[in-house]
């Protein structure tokens, strides 16, 4: 609902400011029935997908549940829109549906940062951009949340100029016009609570080598510091040893894979750099207080995997 509202409200405000209808919108669902948002609110729509009117822009809005897949009618509709020259796009989880329709090319789209891992496992040939939104020809995507507001402001600026778009932004109590190239996440230095280039470099090296973990001595060498100095930096700024921090990164990747993919535990264990499923399960339960199998069954009710 946050993404949906953020996409529409700037258009409504633009109309209000000039007392004219600059924009209209029409909401549809596959069968015309109401849609239950992730917060439980029922959202009424204007009709079924089959009766969707002609539009300059056709956007798919979906939540971040990356197990959700597009049905054949949605895929056919998207392909038809794109084939006849229409601009199609996605907000948050809708990017996955554009990928299923074969409408994305590597480097020309984005999606919510939390969904990136599962998406890349599902579509290894596609590499998303780490951006608020992307406008790549006839394809529009944004990373979800309030980034949908930034995408709509970008369209308003394109149609009616940046000055007017800034006025709309002010009415939204929004921090000006953000570029699509801005990152949707806080920088690594902010997350670590340090601007130490060596610490940021070491943490980045770890994040890039989760499936085949590097020896800590090699991490330190690549970060151009001694292992002892690296240990002091991690202890002072994260409260953890480098080994503990590295293991937590790998376990967090495992949690995401359990949530966002249907991979079995041996494949997930290997993708997180653990030598065995039992080692992964033991460390996972120690960190999250629940066994991986139980966590997976809660995320995917009715499905048992091992």
């Amino acid at each position: 609902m946050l993404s949906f509202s953020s996409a529409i409200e700037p258009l409504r405000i633009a109309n209000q400011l000039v007392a004219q209808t600059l924009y209209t919108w029409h909401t549809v669902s596959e069968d015309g029935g109401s849609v239950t948002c992730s917060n439980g609110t029922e959202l009424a729509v204007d009709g079924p997908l089959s009766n969707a009117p002609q539009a300059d822009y056709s956007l798919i809005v979906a939540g971040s549940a990356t197990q959700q897949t597009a049905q054949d009618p949605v895929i056919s509709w998207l392909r038809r829109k794109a084939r006849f020259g229409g601009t199609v796009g996605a907000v948050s989880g809708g990017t996955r549906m554009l990928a299923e329709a074969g409408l994305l090319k590597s480097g020309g789209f984005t999606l919510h940062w939390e969904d990136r891992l599962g998406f890349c496992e599902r579509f290894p040939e596609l590499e998303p951009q780490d951006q608020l939104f992307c406008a790549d020809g006839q394809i529009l995507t944004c990373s979800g949340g309030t980034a949908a507001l930034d995408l709509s402001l970008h369209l308003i600026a394109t149609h009616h100029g940046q000055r007017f778009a800034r006025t709309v932004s002010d009415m939204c109590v929004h921090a000006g016009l953000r570029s699509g190239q801005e990152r949707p996440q806080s920088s690594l230095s902010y997350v670590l609570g340090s601007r130490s280039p060596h610490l940021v470099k070491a943490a980045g090296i770890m994040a890039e080598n989760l499936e085949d973990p590097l020896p800590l001595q090699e991490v330190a060498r690549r970060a151009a510091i001694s292992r002892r100095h690296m240990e002091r930096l991690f202890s002072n700024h994260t409260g953890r040893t480098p080994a503990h921090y590295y293991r937590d990164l790998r376990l967090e990747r495992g949690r995401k894979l359990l949530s966002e993919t249907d991979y079995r535990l041996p494949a997930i264990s290997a993708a997180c750099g653990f030598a065995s499923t039992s080692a992964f399960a033991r460390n996972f339960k120690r960190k999250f207080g629940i066994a991986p199998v139980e966590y997976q069954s809660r995320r995917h009710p009715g499905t048992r995997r091992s």
Side-chain angles (χ1 to χ4, degrees):
M1 178 166 278
L2 177 60
S3 299
F4 176 78
S5 300
S6 295
I8 289 181
E9 279 301 286
L11 309 181
R12 180 192 67 79
I13 291 172
N15 290 347
Q16 174 185 311
L17 286 173
V18 297
Q20 296 179 33
T21 304
L22 300 178
Y23 297 97
T24 60
W25 50 90
H26 190 89
T27 58
V28 298
S29 64
E30 185 179 351
D31 59 2
S34 62
V35 178
T36 302
C37 299
S38 53
N39 62 10
T41 301
E42 288 288 322
L43 179 67
V45 300
D46 297 319
L49 185 64
S50 58
N51 290 339
Q54 291 297 319
D56 295 316
Y57 300 92
S58 302
L59 302 178
I60 296 288
V61 182
S64 61
T66 55
Q67 286 297 309
Q68 181 181 2
T69 58
Q71 301 301 311
D72 289 342
V74 178
I75 293 293
S76 298
W77 182 77
L78 285 170
R79 289 173 176 166
R80 188 166 57 252
K81 289 285 183 181
R83 184 165 57 249
F84 290 104
T87 297
V88 296
V91 175
S92 194
T95 300
R96 182 185 182 94
M97 300 182 184
L98 293 182
E100 291 174 355
L103 300 179
L104 299 180
K105 61 182 180 181
S106 192
F109 69 96
T110 189
L111 73 162
H112 196 285
W113 59 266
E114 189 177 30
D115 297 336
R116 196 170 299 143
L117 177 60
F119 180 94
C120 290
E121 294 287 346
R122 172 68 178 81
F123 303 100
E125 74 283 2
L126 295 175
E127 182 179 357
Q129 291 291 311
D130 187 19
Q131 298 183 185
L132 285 174
F133 63 87
C134 288
D136 185 34
Q138 299 300 107
I139 301 294
L140 301 174
T141 52
C142 84
S143 56
T146 57
L149 193 154
D150 295 293
L151 177 59
S152 289
L153 289 173
H154 165 75
L155 295 177
I156 292 171
T158 300
H159 302 149
H160 303 288
Q162 290 205 347
R163 184 173 182 178
F164 181 64
R166 287 194 183 95
T167 303
V168 175
S169 176
D170 289 343
M171 289 292 291
C172 294
V173 197
H174 187 58
L177 302 182
R178 296 194 292 178
S179 165
Q181 283 70 43
E182 291 189 34
R183 297 181 70 248
Q185 283 182 275
S186 300
S187 66
L188 186 55
S189 62
Y190 179 83
V191 173
L192 290 169
S194 170
R195 291 185 177 275
S196 166
H198 295 303
L199 177 61
V200 172
K201 179 69 172 177
I205 291 168
M206 291 177 181
E208 293 170 358
N209 294 274
L210 300 179
E211 186 168 351
D212 296 303
L214 297 172
L216 292 180
Q217 189 65 37
E218 176 62 14
V219 174
R221 187 191 69 78
R222 295 189 186 188
I225 52 176
S226 68
R227 177 167 174 174
R228 183 179 295 274
H229 185 40
M230 182 176 72
E231 289 171 347
R232 284 198 297 269
L233 287 173
F234 273 93
S235 177
N236 291 339
H237 294 285
T238 74
R240 288 172 285 180
T241 66
H244 190 179
Y245 180 88
Y246 205 173
R247 184 173 64 247
D248 281 354
L249 285 181
R250 292 155 57 206
L251 290 170
E252 184 60 32
R253 184 185 198 193
R255 186 189 67 81
K256 289 180 180 293
L257 289 173
L258 288 167
S259 299
E260 301 172 6
T261 73
D262 57 1
Y263 290 175
R264 295 181 180 276
L265 289 186
I268 293 176
S269 301
C272 299
F274 286 90
S276 67
T277 302
S278 60
F280 170 71
R282 183 173 59 254
N283 282 278
F284 188 94
K285 186 170 184 178
R286 184 182 299 131
K287 177 173 176 58
F288 297 110
I290 185 173
V293 172
E294 185 180 355
Y295 180 85
Q296 195 173 45
S297 66
R298 290 183 182 181
R299 300 293 295 183
H300 307 282
T303 302
R304 183 176 180 179
R305 302 179 178 90
S306 61

